[in-house]
Amino acid sequence: MNLIEEFNAYRSKMNERIMDSDNLVIKRFFNLDTNTYAEGALEVKTKEMIGLACSMVLRCDDCIKYHLGKSHEAGLGRKEIFEVFSIALVIGGSIVIPHLRRAVEYWEGLEKQGNV
Amino acid sequence: MNLIEEFNAYRSKMNERIMDSDNLVIKRFFNLDTNTYAEGALEVKTKEMIGLACSMVLRCDDCIKYHLGKSHEAGLGRKEIFEVFSIALVIGGSIVIPHLRRAVEYWEGLEKQGNV
Amino acid sequence: MNLIEEFNAYRSKMNERIMDSDNLVIKRFFNLDTNTYAEGALEVKTKEMIGLACSMVLRCDDCIKYHLGKSHEAGLGRKEIFEVFSIALVIGGSIVIPHLRRAVEYWEGLEKQGNV
Amino acid sequence: MNLIEEFNAYRSKMNERIMDSDNLVIKRFFNLDTNTYAEGALEVKTKEMIGLACSMVLRCDDCIKYHLGKSHEAGLGRKEIFEVFSIALVIGGSIVIPHLRRAVEYWEGLEKQGNV
Amino acid sequence: MNLIEEFNAYRSKMNERIMDSDNLVIKRFFNLDTNTYAEGALEVKTKEMIGLACSMVLRCDDCIKYHLGKSHEAGLGRKEIFEVFSIALVIGGSIVIPHLRRAVEYWEGLEKQGNV
Amino acid sequence: MNLIEEFNAYRSKMNERIMDSDNLVIKRFFNLDTNTYAEGALEVKTKEMIGLACSMVLRCDDCIKYHLGKSHEAGLGRKEIFEVFSIALVIGGSIVIPHLRRAVEYWEGLEKQGNV
């Protein structure tokens, strides 16, 4: 199982278990989170880039992976993704670098895999 | 002097004093920071929205003000700005709310002032 | 206008303006935020102490003020509040201290004012 | 060795090596940290829930595991723990989600294992 | 009252009130915090620069002011302080800039005031 | 491959791939980052201790490893390193502890390996 499959499998499995817990606040939060990235005044691409950059400055590897996957699905290309990386790096500083390394590895995994 | 003029005046005054210090690393960082938001694979509008959202999740009021000013100059409208706010709020959680309050106040100041 | 009235007035005024914006994600977030602190398996007092401690380690002065007000309303006393402070201080470290200073000032304002 | 044993074993081993270093400030900090969670005006359960929520909003997986273990020992149940999770999620936002996934996995490990 | 006197006056007043609270954990934390910066294997100057840089990347204005005061007392000069600033800026990124502005203002206040 | 070799190998491999991306802002940031730690008004040792402490309070394991390696190369000894650890612990609080554990493990790996 590669990086991408591993991430998605664990994510799906645990999200299900969280939903099973029947905590209403958590369920509503997850629902709201999904709605946040739906097309509105901004298109999905733009929202995903915003989600990606925020995940990088907050240094959340799993969030980065998730938004990289969605950005790839939305058709964003390498040049655009690296510009998002560059903004996050300048805003968040050198502590973003270790997350950038893992982000580049994950992104290149997505490129190799192609569109599914 | 209103909120916007006050912010810009202090920012300009202190940036000058920082430049006077002749620390090369700081100077190069400031220069790099400016270049980051120049048009590239992404347009200026998109970069400013990314900068704004990152500033909100990192809860930096002055950074928010700066990117709101730039977003306004770039022609972004109320609906788009509030969608950026909503993404930052869901990613960053309720601790973003106090910064959202001040951001809305500043944004409405920019709207009243119109394009300069 | 004292510290407490000032905080509450600005908070109410800006919350209204945020609601006026008609951004659905933001509205639902605010609604969810309110529900989070309603009595459930945990009583309101406990939830407010949790909200207070989280606000301190995340160093959000306005969030601290809000939860101090709610904790006071819920009948929490000085000894309990200072134990919450002590936990937040040890978890969050010395950078919490400036926020602790302002929290103590605000709490003592609430004590003087009595229950309303 | 399961998740719980692995965490505890590494924690114990490294705490010992840290104590061996004979740095007085570090030793006193560790001692203070232990005292913080002792029964006082607040009972142990409440303090552990506060410690857990703070660990989640600060996104520290090992701290979460530690406080989950202590919360379990203190007799807290699933419904209470998930309410703590829900508060932390709303305060800290969607970047808490990956930590929530791992927290749920660890908590369910503790439930399976029962009281020791 | 200038920036420096104002900061010191509020800090002293509130520290006293915190000590009056008789919370043992908080008292011991304050005591430990003081001991941390005493001469040891590292000299006071070095410790103050470390405290200053950490305060900047954590974006705590009051902590920055405190360590700038102590650094000035310890005899650190402008060139050294600006190198500390530059390291904090590169590590912490552009969100450090607003704190850098206020730090430079405070430092120049200390320079004008001379050694006391 | 031990902890140290593994860290260095991944770091080198990914830095190369990041450089290959030809994003000018990222390249300039990496270059600036390197220059930041060069001898200036402060010596390399001092800068590395500052970098180490900042990495700890920001809780970035890879950044900690990097600066521990550089600190070791610069000739810093165990007593000095543990004083840096103690400052970071008091500033950043108990959430630094899990990173301290891994830092001590890595540092002891460097000690065993000797100077290369």
Side-chain angles (χ1 to χ4, degrees), chain B residues 6 9 13 28 33 38 59 69 75 86 89 108 110:
Chain B
E6 208 179 310
K13 183 183 75 174
R28 287 180 57 196
D33 186 33
R59 303 161 46 212
S86 73
L89 180 60
E108 297 188 344
L110 289 163

Side-chain angles (χ1 to χ4, degrees), chain A residues 54-65:
Chain A
C54 290
S55 302
M56 292 193 84
V57 297
L58 291 171
R59 300 161 49 213
C60 173
D61 285 327
D62 282 5
C63 314
I64 293 171
K65 285 175 181 170

Side-chain angles (χ1 to χ4, degrees), chain D:
Chain D
M1 199 153 65
N2 67 20
L3 259 185
I4 299 163
E5 291 162 353
E6 208 178 311
F7 169 70
N8 287 325
Y10 182 73
R11 187 178 169 274
S12 300
K13 182 182 76 174
M14 292 314 303
N15 278 8
E16 245 175 73
R17 269 150 80 175
I18 290 169
M19 286 303 125
D20 286 350
S21 74
D22 269 326
N23 179 294
L24 200 61
V25 170
I26 295 178
K27 283 187 166 182
R28 286 180 57 197
F29 190 96
F30 272 65
N31 191 259
L32 185 57
D33 186 33
T34 305
N35 288 321
T36 305
Y37 298 95
E39 174 129 2
L42 302 177
E43 39 179 3
V44 171
K45 269 185 199 187
T46 307
K47 290 187 164 187
E48 286 303 331
M49 285 190 284
I50 291 172
L52 174 58
C54 289
S55 302
M56 291 193 85
V57 297
L58 291 171
R59 301 162 48 214
C60 173
D61 286 326
D62 282 6
C63 313
I64 293 170
K65 286 175 180 170
Y66 177 75
H67 287 295
L68 280 174
K70 287 287 179 188
S71 296
H72 191 249
E73 274 178 36
L76 284 160
R78 188 179 181 82
K79 277 211 173 300
E80 291 154 318
I81 290 296
F82 274 80
E83 285 200 7
V84 177
F85 288 167
S86 73
I87 301 171
L89 180 60
V90 170
I91 294 178
S94 66
I95 44 155
V96 170
I97 294 177
H99 306 274
L100 175 61
R101 287 189 197 113
R102 291 188 282 271
V104 169
E105 184 179 28
Y106 197 83
W107 174 258
E108 298 188 341
L110 288 164
E111 285 181 332
K112 260 173 227 153
Q113 185 187 270
N115 281 325
V116 194

